[in-house]
Amino acid sequence: MWSNLPLFPTQASTQAGQVDALYFFLVAVTAFFSLLIAALIVFFSIRYRHERHPVPHQIEGSTALELTWTLIPLGIAMVIFVWGAAVYFYQTRPPRGAMEIYAIGKQWMWKFQHVEGQREINQLHVPVGRDVKMVMTSQDVIHSFFVPAFRVKADVLPGRYTQTWFRATTPGRYHLFCTEYCGTQHSGMIGEVVVMEPAAYEAWLAGGSGEGSLASNGQKLFQELGCATCHRSDTQGRGPNLVGVFGKQVLLEDGRTVGADETYVRESILNPAAKIVSGFKPIMPTFEGQVSEEGLVALVAYIKTLKSAPQGAQQQNEPARPVAPTNTPGK
Ligand code: CUA
């Protein structure tokens, strides 16, 4: 109905309608009370003007009136709160099984990495009708990923991964902005999201660089940096066995438990002493300065693939023996 209003970008994702509905509700509530109050000001000014009421009448208070003007706004505020929270939770919780795309912001461009190996700059190709989870980080300062047609906006921070997700509903090309002031070329840090039919998307993916998947690049790095010598797939390694670690809870030497997410993996590579896994010694050197953000993303993607069933060349024929109560391979 309202989507033809030129003030609003097109609605091209599943959350766009939800955000707009809430927004129109806020506008309607605001407009209603603004008009009501303005009208009452005019009405009371005339009705109780000085000539008719030279001596004001003292009112000592009215419980009924006070309850009314307290409970009605409370009710309206609660509707806004619950509704807003519902939309917020929908937006901030990527559905299970969403496909992942990695984004790296830097002054002043967007770099995207598809799990299949495709890389692109200032252009993001996604299929229509599929949940896409963005795993984002920054190489320098704070940026913010904003696609108005999707009503998706999320800060992109150095030193950690943030997430957002969307499901595009209409093929087309949509603006992508950086919406956090990040330096002189901030306004030029723009791009486009290209939403394609699934078949066209597959074809686009297949016409890729031939560099191999993100995880296989990560696996290569894992070997080159020597990670594999300590993080062995058996219990003999000097570092924890990484098979099955991602997405699980990890018990630390100091008794804390942390969730093994992207940020945990990244920190463990750059600042290994920050979180020592229970039963291991803080002997791992830092890889700060030795791995680019792209490399880190590839390593994270690789470690994700070690999720349950071991795969990859370095496992060879020797079955992994999980240390922790992870899944037994082959089960
Ligand atoms: Cu990046 Cu503004």
Side-chain angles (χ1 to χ4, degrees):
M1 158 182 76
W2 291 89
S3 51
N4 294 328
L5 210 64
L7 290 174
F8 287 87
T10 48
Q11 297 178 345
S13 76
T14 50
Q15 56 253 60
Q18 299 180 20
V19 172
D20 287 0
L22 177 60
Y23 184 75
F24 287 131
F25 177 73
L26 291 174
V27 171
V29 169
T30 309
F32 174 77
F33 283 102
S34 302
L35 290 174
L36 180 70
I37 291 167
L40 285 176
I41 289 173
V42 174
F43 174 72
F44 288 147
S45 312
I46 297 165
R47 174 89 197 271
Y48 297 103
R49 63 187 184 278
H50 186 65
E51 295 97 88
R52 279 181 63 174
H53 299 274
V55 182
H57 168 58
Q58 188 61 35
I59 296 169
E60 292 302 334
S62 158
T63 308
L65 197 60
E66 286 175 23
L67 278 175
T68 309
W69 74 48
T70 304
L71 292 178
I72 290 177
L74 178 71
I76 294 170
M78 281 300 149
V79 168
I80 294 170
F81 167 66
V82 172
W83 189 350
V87 173
Y88 177 81
F89 285 133
Y90 180 81
Q91 288 208 338
T92 48
R93 291 185 184 159
R96 283 181 169 276
M99 58 180 275
E100 293 186 350
I101 298 177
Y102 292 84
I104 300 169
K106 70 168 278 201
Q107 290 168 320
W108 287 279
M109 63 172 83
W110 293 104
K111 296 188 281 190
F112 298 105
Q113 283 251 274
H114 295 256
V115 175
E116 293 81 358
Q118 278 276 23
R119 301 150 180 265
E120 39 186 347
I121 288 178
N122 290 343
Q123 258 205 338
L124 172 61
H125 289 76
V126 294
V128 70
R130 278 195 60 189
D131 299 334
V132 178
K133 172 173 151 189
M134 303 297 302
V135 181
M136 307 181 292
T137 188
S138 165
Q139 203 169 306
D140 35 49
V141 301
I142 299 176
H143 305 278
S144 192
F145 177 86
F146 181 34
V147 184
F150 295 171
R151 312 295 189 273
V152 158
K153 188 193 274 188
D155 275 4
V156 176
L157 308 173
R160 73 176 91 158
Y161 293 98
T162 55
Q163 302 181 349
T164 189
W165 79 278
F166 54 82
R167 186 196 297 171
T169 50
T170 321
R173 292 170 179 266
Y174 305 100
H175 286 298
L176 161 67
F177 295 116
C178 174
T179 181
E180 182 74 53
Y181 180 70
C182 56
T184 47
Q185 300 294 313
H186 157 69
S187 62
M189 191 168 161
I190 53 176
E192 65 174 359
V193 181
V194 183
V195 177
M196 310 171 89
E197 295 292 350
Y201 177 73
E202 291 305 325
W204 177 83
L205 269 187
S209 49
E211 284 179 59
S213 73
L214 193 55
S216 71
N217 290 336
Q219 185 181 7
K220 231 177 284 164
L221 257 181
F222 197 79
Q223 299 294 333
E224 282 167 19
L225 294 167
C227 314
T229 57
C230 290
H231 293 286
R232 292 169 47 162
S233 53
D234 55 29
T235 52
Q236 311 303 313
R238 286 184 293 170
N241 176 357
L242 299 180
V243 175
V245 163
F246 195 89
K248 299 272 163 52
Q249 295 292 315
V250 178
L251 180 64
L252 300 184
E253 193 64 7
D254 58 13
R256 281 182 299 160
T257 303
V258 294
D261 59 5
E262 290 91 350
T263 297
Y264 168 75
V265 173
R266 183 184 193 283
E267 182 189 56
S268 297
I269 296 168
L270 299 180
N271 182 13
K275 296 191 174 78
I276 301 296
V277 175
S278 173
F280 291 91
K281 297 205 164 53
I283 50 171
M284 176 171 158
T286 172
F287 286 81
E288 184 93 59
Q290 296 181 55
V291 198
S292 65
E293 287 297 338
E294 282 89 343
L296 289 166
V297 158
L299 285 169
V300 167
Y302 170 60
I303 286 165
K304 279 183 188 175
T305 64
L306 301 177
K307 219 162 176 175
S308 45
Q311 58 147 246
Q314 99 281 15
Q315 310 285 349
Q316 279 150 13
N317 297 325
E318 167 194 313
R321 278 185 285 149
V323 197
T326 49
N327 292 339
T328 313
K331 194 162 77 175

